[in-house]
Amino acid sequence: MDRQQFGSPLLWALCVYGNTSMNQELKQATETFIQRSEEAGVLGKIIPIEEITKVNESLNNLIPEWYIELVTNFPLAGIEFEWQAFEPEEDFDGLSSVWWSDAENILIETKEASPGLDLIKEGFFSVACDNDGTGDPYFIKADDNDNPMFYQISHELFAESELVICGYTAREVGKLSSVFTKAIVGNV
């Protein structure tokens, strides 16, 4: 299907991806998260359909329709938030900081950097970056479902861990709707 015959990237994307209906639990959690973010003065951006479509083509159409709908309808790109990654200690709050990816970072972390280079073979794509300085990005599995598990994947290969994905240490953060519900905004 030739994109230019439609005249508009949005019309083309609707024809290619259809008019999907996002998981309602994820949609509600995202709406509430965006509202809380805006109230805290933390603003993200919507990813233009042209950009995410181009990235998806570069990833052999790995990105599911519901995710395209999510990032083209909600200003997630660039939002920073924290989640309770570890039990708080006397001198450490246990929070980990996340930066939600724009189209360029989805492509870079998935196709051009490790661990994405290995994870893409198993159907994972990157959706967020570590904002703590460890460089351990966040991924979801494209065919998990429309409210998938959100994973932080370490750059360490074959590290001892309860969860290992493609040889990398991984942490299950939670279902995406739960991540947005529990996210701490305005604290970064």
Side-chain angles (χ1 to χ4, degrees):
M1 190 176 299
D2 182 18
R3 185 183 338 197
Q4 294 179 340
Q5 78 187 56
F6 289 90
S8 161
L10 180 58
L11 288 176
W12 176 81
L14 286 173
C15 288
V16 171
Y17 299 114
N19 192 4
T20 63
S21 181
M22 189 183 314
N23 174 294
Q24 290 305 301
E25 182 181 359
L26 177 58
K27 184 177 181 179
Q28 180 61 47
T30 307
E31 288 172 348
T32 303
F33 171 69
I34 294 298
Q35 181 179 6
R36 289 188 303 118
S37 297
E38 289 174 349
E39 288 170 0
V42 179
L43 305 177
K45 295 180 182 178
I46 287 175
I47 298 178
I49 190 74
E50 306 85 17
E51 290 180 24
I52 195 67
T53 300
K54 186 176 177 181
V55 167
N56 197 30
E57 289 170 354
S58 296
L59 299 176
N60 295 319
N61 297 311
L62 176 66
I63 302 172
E65 294 173 12
W66 67 264
Y67 189 80
I68 292 170
E69 183 179 354
L70 181 75
V71 297
T72 58
N73 285 287
F74 294 100
L76 291 167
I79 285 186
E80 294 178 64
F81 65 92
E82 293 177 311
W83 66 282
Q84 195 68 53
F86 306 98
E87 286 295 319
E89 297 175 8
E90 191 173 310
D91 59 344
F92 175 55
D93 61 12
L95 298 176
S96 188
S97 182
V98 176
W99 181 83
W100 205 264
S101 291
D102 57 16
E104 179 183 14
N105 279 326
I106 291 171
L107 183 62
I108 289 169
E109 291 291 344
T110 303
K111 193 173 180 180
E112 299 175 15
S114 181
L117 289 165
D118 293 317
L119 293 168
I120 192 174
K121 298 171 192 169
E122 298 298 322
F124 287 86
F125 66 100
S126 180
V127 295
C129 299
D130 162 71
N131 209 29
D132 289 329
T134 65
D136 295 337
Y138 294 84
F139 289 83
I140 56 177
K141 188 162 182 163
D143 65 359
D144 187 0
N145 63 44
D146 57 0
N147 187 12
M149 190 59 66
F150 184 65
Y151 299 95
Q152 184 176 29
I153 311 289
S154 173
H155 285 88
E156 298 175 34
L157 284 167
F158 303 109
E160 290 185 27
S161 174
E162 291 181 21
L163 180 61
V164 176
I165 299 175
C166 297
Y168 295 93
T169 299
R171 282 195 292 172
E172 240 180 41
V173 179
K175 291 286 190 181
L176 197 50
S177 61
S178 177
V179 169
F180 288 146
T181 299
K182 294 177 181 178
I184 302 164
V185 291
N187 198 30
V188 181

